[in-house]
Amino acid sequence: MRPLRYSINVTLDGCCHHEAGLPPDEESMRHWTAEMERADALLFGRVTYGMMESAWRKPATGTWPDWMDEWQIPFAEAIDRTKKYVVSSTLSGPDWQAELLRGELGQAVRRLKQEPGEGLFVGGVTLPLALADLGLIDEYVFLVQPVLAGHGPTLLAGLRERIQLELVDRHEFRSGAFALRYRPLRGPV
């Protein structure tokens, strides 16, 4: 069974808005590129899919935009080529290497996890909360930014039950950010 990993940038006070942390740098982009290369497929809700597509989809010209630095291109190429599943009741026909995930969420994601491969990644805010509530996330990867945002959506706000996690890896960046990898402890704690 391939694991489902939730990966996101988060501030020290728990804000997970994509603009609340530090701007990406070469070191953090190398981290996210390595994470992306561990993914057979990505799961996004409609909003996250749209945001990621607008930033990272390769233009029809085949040339990356001028705003993109050379060190961002490996991440852009990795996310652009990765299979995507979109959970949405309003979006029709996603076309960025994507298809709609149909059926009841829990059953549909369990089917994806049963397929062979390295892993599935989920990003965003709303969809990961639903998947965490269903007990379907096997690993949490947080890039914790040394920033206090003081506002914005917070990480897994509204989680129905506490999830006890075990730290399995950590890496400190020159920026003061930390990549923290956790796995849920299953059973009584």
Side-chain angles (χ1 to χ4, degrees), residues 28-169:
S28 66
M29 289 305 280
R30 276 194 308 273
H31 165 79
W32 287 122
T33 302
E35 289 295 309
M36 195 58 50
E37 289 171 348
R38 297 173 60 212
D40 303 309
L42 307 171
L43 274 71
F44 292 136
R46 177 189 51 81
V47 172
T48 301
Y49 171 78
M51 181 180 67
M52 298 304 266
E53 181 184 27
S54 69
W56 302 111
R57 183 177 187 162
K58 192 166 198 168
T61 63
T63 304
W64 293 106
D66 291 340
W67 64 260
M68 193 176 290
D69 289 318
E70 199 63 35
W71 48 267
Q72 293 174 307
I73 292 174
F75 175 81
E77 289 174 341
I79 195 171
D80 186 61
R81 72 175 166 257
T82 303
K83 172 76 177 167
K84 296 150 195 85
Y85 294 94
V86 184
V87 177
S88 175
S89 59
T90 58
L91 185 66
S92 62
D95 65 351
W96 180 41
Q97 308 253 17
E99 67 183 69
L100 289 174
L101 191 63
R102 306 222 183 260
E104 190 272 324
L105 179 63
Q107 291 174 352
V109 171
R110 284 182 194 93
R111 279 193 305 273
L112 287 177
K113 289 176 69 168
Q114 292 298 322
E115 294 176 8
E118 290 294 313
L120 302 165
F121 270 65
V122 63
V125 179
T126 306
L127 179 58
L129 173 61
L131 295 170
D133 275 337
L134 292 169
L136 292 173
I137 297 177
D138 302 297
E139 197 170 275
Y140 294 82
V141 182
F142 303 129
L143 186 54
V144 182
Q145 304 284 337
V147 172
L148 297 172
H151 62 84
T154 56
L155 188 63
L156 299 168
L159 192 63
R160 286 193 301 231
E161 293 183 25
R162 182 176 115 159
I163 299 172
Q164 185 70 35
L165 302 174
E166 169 187 28
L167 180 65
V168 294
D169 190 37

